[in-house]
Amino acid sequence: MVSLSVNINKVATLRNSRGGNVPDVVQFARDCERFGADGITVHPRPDGRHIRYDDVYAVKKAIGVELNIEGFPTPEFVRLVCEVHPAQVTLVPDSPEQLTSNHGWDTIHEAAFLSELINIFHVENIRVSLFVDPVKEMVAGAKKVGADRVELYTGPYAELFMTDPQYAIDMYRPAAEKAKESGLGLNAGHDLTRDNLSLLINSFPWIDEVSIGHQLIADALYLGIEETIAQYKEKIKG
């Protein structure tokens, strides 16, 4: 079964817009677990515009499911991850001012940098996933530098799905199959929805985890978080 990791960044964004602790990010993470989420994802950024470093420590203590910490590996981020000790760290190559992650690592040209980071996290027994574009050479590069998994950036998939779903799948197939062939775990994330999720998973049933935040939280505004998680879990089942 593919795991559903709920990204709770947007809940923190709402809280931060008003100050105080409403909504309660830690309680929301607990509730996501109670309603069936297999994991919680957080992506702290240096400016603290959504999830903050102190939230990460608190969420880790509050949940029993896997915690996935995403982010660009600044020295502060690396220190955070090693102190919190999540099940998984997902390294993304975004700059501090980016609105959201929109491209993957060049695992070939940045091999030395990535290899050093991965060794640091492996010493702490933390699973490492690299955020990559759907390019089989980048997946192969991730294997060479020692990553445990890759997370395919599914923004282009979501966009193509709206006009040509089969072409969207064909575009991702070489990278997804390369991950399987290489023995890498396979995650997917970005712009996944109730509409496009089932096709992706049915096409690549070896996907280990999908990380979904923005659309899932938007759906919860209408459906409630319990019903939203239930619907996403049904889509994962196909």
Side-chain angles (χ1 to χ4, degrees):
M1 177 65 69
V2 179
S3 295
L4 171 65
S5 187
V6 175
N7 187 319
I8 61 172
N9 273 22
K10 288 299 165 65
V11 180
T13 303
L14 179 59
R15 176 202 61 190
N16 296 351
S17 70
R18 187 69 177 266
N21 194 40
V22 178
D24 185 328
V25 171
V26 174
Q27 185 58 50
F28 193 87
R30 290 194 190 102
D31 289 338
C32 287
E33 177 178 358
R34 181 162 60 94
F35 297 144
D38 304 296
I40 298 295
T41 291
V42 292
H43 187 146
R45 293 179 183 272
D47 62 7
R49 65 180 182 261
H50 34 58
I51 284 289
R52 301 186 296 243
Y53 276 30
D54 59 326
D55 293 324
V56 180
Y57 290 98
V59 169
K60 176 60 166 63
K61 292 178 181 178
I63 62 173
V65 291
E66 285 197 352
L67 176 64
N68 170 44
I69 304 179
E70 296 182 345
F72 181 80
T74 63
E76 294 78 15
F77 178 87
V78 172
R79 188 179 310 114
L80 170 75
V81 172
C82 290
E83 289 178 355
V84 173
H85 211 277
Q88 177 175 271
V89 59
T90 300
L91 303 180
V92 297
D94 53 1
S95 60
E97 66 274 8
Q98 276 185 233
L99 184 63
T100 186
S101 303
N102 59 13
H103 67 282
W105 290 101
D106 184 333
T107 59
I108 297 170
H109 290 96
E110 297 176 282
F113 175 64
L114 293 170
S115 180
E116 182 179 352
L117 287 165
I118 290 168
N119 287 338
I120 291 171
F121 295 126
H122 279 172
V123 167
E124 300 293 331
N125 294 314
I126 299 169
R127 185 171 72 236
V128 181
S129 178
L130 296 183
F131 194 69
V132 297
D133 294 319
V135 178
K136 65 179 182 179
E137 290 80 8
M138 296 301 109
V139 175
K143 176 67 174 180
K144 288 182 180 178
V145 298
D148 304 294
R149 293 185 182 181
V150 290
E151 178 175 329
L152 294 182
Y153 168 47
T154 48
Y157 164 76
E159 185 174 352
L160 288 167
F161 177 87
M162 293 187 290
T163 55
D164 193 338
Q166 189 56 55
Y167 179 70
I169 289 297
D170 291 343
M171 178 181 173
Y172 276 72
R173 187 172 300 281
E177 291 184 344
K178 187 64 177 179
K180 183 180 181 182
E181 171 193 318
S182 302
L184 283 168
L186 183 61
N187 297 343
H190 213 281
D191 293 338
L192 295 176
T193 70
R194 289 177 295 161
D195 293 329
N196 63 34
L197 186 56
S198 292
L199 178 62
L200 185 74
I201 290 173
N202 290 338
S203 300
F204 312 124
W206 57 91
I207 291 175
D208 293 292
E209 175 185 289
V210 290
S211 175
I212 308 176
H214 182 85
Q215 185 63 52
L216 189 150
I217 300 303
D219 289 339
L221 294 176
Y222 293 91
L223 303 173
I225 188 59
E226 182 175 7
E227 176 63 21
T228 298
I229 289 176
Q231 290 195 21
Y232 274 85
K233 296 280 283 188
E234 282 299 314
K235 295 296 182 179
I236 284 173
K237 291 178 184 177

